[in-house]
Amino acid sequence: MIAVAALFTMGALVAIQARTNGDLAVRLGGGLSGGAQAALVNFTVGLLFVTVWIALRPSERHRLGVLRRVVADGTLPAWQCLAGLGGALLILSQAASVPTLGVAVFTVAVVAGQTGGSLGIDQLGLGPAGPAPVTPRRAFAAALTLAAVALSVLGRSGPSALSPLLLFCIAGGVAVAVQSTYNGRNGKAIGSTVVATWLNFVAGTLGLLVVVLVLMGAGHPMCPLPGTWWLYAGGPMGVAFVSVVAASIRVVSVLLVSLATVAGQVLGALVLDAFFPVAGQGLHLITIFGTVLPIVAVLIAASEPLNRRASDR
């Protein structure tokens, strides 16, 4: 229950992070270019934050040596160290889409990708906690979240309702499910969720740096960074999220991690869009209904008896 409560809190934090990164993207010019710059800033601040954390803890500095050793002997495949690219894709979609779609629609789109991706990962047994085969109840819960995306889109007006950004956000959800899985496996191999988090931010920062450089080469200039301090809070929020998920996913299924964070995300998104809406985008009744549906899906999937999942392994 402690892990579930922590994951729920991290989900709510992601909703706040989405608004923060979206606002930063607008300050940096908006669109894909502003979103990429905001995402890079987010990951860079997060990387600095967790690097200082490791530097102040001798035990974590020792684990950096363990990381080098397990990569060198093949215990930890080198490609697995790129898990942070999944988080980079999520933050990029977050920063680029929230100013247009709002936090609630962004959240249900990510939920769809995250839940569907988690079901597939659990079925394949890729998570550190082992396989959790798809049951009719779990499959129905995933389908319900997809229905929520459609309802949320219907609740909007204008061209943004059919924006390709929705598909981008769904892809970001799948990417974060993959990221969570391999961050958990990395943490298990290294013996430290903190170093796994650091590795996540290294990969994500480098990936986003490449994206920004490509956009600059295509004629999109870098904008000066704003002086508003809270716009940079997304980095530490990301560190907290990645660390808690990497620790929790070692003992529970990928789907359960996703569902717990989803519940926090949808409630946090509703509160933000209700009291601090994106300019020109109100909170529609059908969007509220579409955002509540994932919570129902959480309850349905969470009611799956643990002993049944264990017996399926």
Side-chain angles (χ1 to χ4, degrees), residues 14 29 71 86 88 94 132 210 244 262 297:
V14 167
V71 171
Q94 183 188 82
V210 170
V244 170
V262 160

Side-chain angles (χ1 to χ4, degrees), residues 150-284:
L151 284 174
S152 295
V153 172
L154 290 174
R156 299 187 62 81
S157 59
S160 64
L162 299 177
S163 171
L165 289 173
L166 281 170
L167 294 178
F168 193 17
C169 296
I170 291 172
V174 175
V176 79
V178 175
Q179 174 208 28
S180 299
T181 299
Y182 286 104
N183 279 342
R185 294 173 70 95
N186 292 346
K188 189 174 182 177
I190 300 166
S192 168
T193 57
V194 175
V195 175
T197 301
W198 177 82
L199 188 60
N200 173 89
F201 277 86
V202 169
T205 300
L206 292 176
L208 288 167
L209 180 60
V210 170
V211 172
V212 169
L213 290 176
V214 169
L215 289 172
M216 289 178 63
H220 297 276
M222 288 283 287
C223 296
L225 295 175
T228 309
W229 68 268
W230 58 264
L231 291 174
Y232 304 98
M237 291 180 192
V239 171
F241 177 83
V242 172
S243 299
V244 170
V245 170
S248 301
I249 207 167
R250 293 167 63 178
V251 294
V252 299
S253 71
V254 179
L255 182 63
L256 182 56
V257 169
S258 295
L259 294 179
T261 54
V262 160
Q265 286 178 57
V266 294
L267 289 178
L270 270 179
V271 171
L272 284 174
D273 277 359
F275 295 101
F276 307 99
V278 172
Q281 294 292 347
L283 189 61
H284 301 271

